[in-house]
Amino acid sequence: MSIESVLSDQLLERFRQRAERYDAENSFATEDFEELAASGYLKALIPESQGGLGWNLEQLALAQRRLATAAPATALAVNMHHVWASVANILKVRGDNRLQIVEDWVAQGEIMAFGISEPGNDSVLFDSKTTASTGSDGAVTFNGIKIFTSLSPAFTRLGVFGKDEETGELVHGFVAKGPGVESMGDWNTLGMRASQSHTTKLVNAVAPQEWVHSRLPVGPNPDLLIFGIFASFLTLTASVYVGIADRAVTLGQETLNKKVHHDGTKYSQDVRARGLLAQASMKLITLDALQRSVAADIDALVDHQGAWFPKLVTLRTLAGDTARENVQVLGQLLGGSGYFRGSEFERLYRDVQASWYHPSNAASASNTVASWLLGPLDAS
């Protein structure tokens, strides 16, 4: 099925109309999520033989971009489910089947979420403040705090990791929603409110042995799981912001075609306004090319070796920067009307601010690229 047949114009317009209510109520995008599930969108990366859409990552990235033009918070929420499906696929096509269980779960209708980020842990995947204790039966018990758990009201399986108290290894596994997995209900934010990305408290949350898939050393390492998570998360999260950048250009175009100066001349003939919109569109064209090439190269198993992580963080950083810049341009084109609450511009302006906080942030991205070019900073 094509992207447009799954995410039809009519569906997107319904999502756009609901976005104001979800944002005002600070409520989860329940109806959006139900429609996406009914359309088969949650199984986008699952093979058609298993009831999925059979898409590749590039198709999904473009679909997430399209969804974000209507409802950025809905797109960001469902993004985390798709990330796990993408990680499983990236590993599988490269001969690593340790996450086959994820593909099976998604095919069966389970909803995946990410429990990775922790308060005060800027090492992200390379260390953890969560404890992981391995029992005699191989099950692992996790205790800790995970933040930005998108899809909190809907997920059924949460991917988590923590540090083994005895070996010092980082243990990765899955826990089911239920006892030991407590949502704190604390998502009351500037934007992206419908994602309901609550803090999650793990209190003796148990991952059965068969749900524990990886044990890795502390610190950066070349394990394929790390590449899969970074490639999926950065590419798909970037797509949400490409969608916002895209929508800002569309709304700017509509604005200039409607607005008229006091003397009767159209804003579409205003050289300054035309230049602002043109610059925003040129940035979007550049970003579009990068988004497509990165996603296509992941699908094609292109081996960029040491350049992979610089490419991924550049895409994520540029997507956020361009989205913020294009939304700001839209505000200039709208004029004073954009300053009032309740407009689509006002929601986009707040939603796009979340791009400051997603890993990899600007400082981390710059360090990644600089280390690729120049080597790491001296330990001294």
Side-chain angles (χ1 to χ4, degrees):
M1 298 178 69
S2 69
I3 294 171
E4 290 74 17
S5 63
V6 177
L7 301 177
S8 67
D9 291 342
Q10 295 79 10
L11 179 143
L12 293 183
E13 188 55 36
R14 290 195 296 274
F15 284 21
R16 189 171 290 118
Q17 294 300 317
R18 292 181 192 130
E20 180 178 0
R21 171 167 59 85
Y22 293 144
D23 180 70
E25 295 175 350
N26 190 26
S27 58
F28 181 59
T30 302
E31 296 98 329
D32 288 1
F33 196 74
E34 289 173 349
E35 285 203 58
L36 291 173
S39 73
Y41 188 64
L42 302 183
K43 301 180 182 180
L45 293 176
I46 300 301
E48 291 182 80
S49 60
Q50 293 178 256
L53 299 180
W55 288 356
N56 58 25
L57 182 59
E58 183 180 6
Q59 288 172 292
L60 179 58
L62 294 174
Q64 281 293 91
R65 167 179 169 177
R66 179 172 169 83
L67 178 56
T69 64
T74 297
L76 186 63
V78 74
N79 205 59
M80 303 311 162
H81 169 81
H82 284 314
V83 167
W84 270 125
S86 175
V87 176
N89 182 258
I90 285 174
L91 267 63
K92 182 178 181 178
V93 299
R94 289 165 175 79
D96 187 330
N97 292 308
R98 79 182 98 161
L99 289 183
Q100 181 61 48
I101 192 172
V102 172
E103 183 177 294
D104 295 341
W105 277 338
V106 174
Q108 294 161 13
E110 302 289 352
I111 308 302
M112 309 300 300
F114 255 79
I116 299 295
S117 296
E118 300 170 338
N121 178 15
D122 57 7
S123 296
V124 194
L125 277 172
F126 301 140
D127 204 349
S128 179
K129 299 170 71 175
T130 297
T131 62
S133 303
T134 304
S136 58
D137 60 354
V140 176
T141 301
F142 293 94
N143 284 278
I145 301 292
K146 302 294 184 178
I147 56 176
F148 299 118
T149 312
S150 298
L151 279 180
S152 282
F155 78 77
T156 61
R157 299 287 185 270
L158 182 66
V160 298
F161 83 125
K163 186 182 291 186
D164 189 292
E165 297 173 315
E166 295 186 2
T167 67
E169 294 175 307
L170 299 176
V171 186
H172 294 256
F174 296 95
V175 296
K177 177 178 280 187
V181 181
E182 180 184 356
S183 176
M184 304 304 289
D186 56 352
W187 190 250
N188 188 13
T189 50
L190 176 70
M192 293 292 189
R193 288 158 64 82
S195 70
Q196 293 297 285
S197 307
H198 300 300
T199 298
T200 301
K201 188 175 182 180
L202 303 175
V203 182
N204 295 325
V206 178
Q209 182 180 24
E210 60 272 22
W211 292 11
V212 178
H213 57 83
S214 303
R215 290 179 177 268
L216 304 176
V218 170
N221 68 83
D223 191 90
L224 187 56
L225 177 72
I226 302 301
F227 173 75
I229 291 176
F230 271 99
S232 302
F233 180 87
L234 294 173
T235 301
L236 291 174
T237 302
S239 297
V240 174
Y241 294 105
V242 181
I244 294 178
D246 197 339
R247 182 62 178 168
V249 169
T250 298
L251 289 175
Q253 184 181 17
E254 292 176 359
T255 297
L256 295 191
N257 281 326
K258 290 178 181 177
K259 286 182 67 175
V260 178
H261 283 290
H262 182 68
D263 63 5
T265 59
K266 295 181 178 180
Y267 271 79
S268 62
Q269 300 304 302
D270 184 307
V271 174
R272 176 180 173 276
R274 289 167 65 93
L276 286 171
L277 182 62
Q279 288 296 317
S281 184
M282 290 167 69
K283 291 176 182 177
L284 178 61
I285 289 170
T286 301
L287 184 56
D288 171 75
L290 181 59
Q291 178 195 30
R292 291 173 186 269
S293 69
V294 168
D297 282 359
I298 294 171
D299 286 331
L301 280 65
V302 175
D303 185 7
H304 287 299
Q305 299 182 355
W308 253 128
F309 285 96
K311 285 178 178 288
L312 292 166
V313 298
T314 297
L315 170 60
R316 222 300 288 150
T317 304
L318 185 61
D321 290 348
T322 302
R324 292 193 302 273
E325 291 164 2
N326 281 13
V327 169
Q328 184 171 325
V329 165
L330 173 60
Q332 292 177 271
L333 298 178
L334 285 168
S337 64
Y339 198 62
F340 286 85
R341 291 293 306 269
S343 68
E344 184 176 357
F345 163 75
E346 184 255 340
R347 291 192 300 279
L348 289 177
Y349 185 85
R350 287 185 289 104
D351 281 350
V352 78
Q353 303 309 317
S355 63
W356 288 106
Y357 303 106
H358 290 297
S360 296
N361 61 32
S364 175
S366 293
N367 182 59
T368 295
V369 176
S371 295
W372 170 57
L373 294 170
L374 303 170
L377 288 168
D378 292 339
S380 59

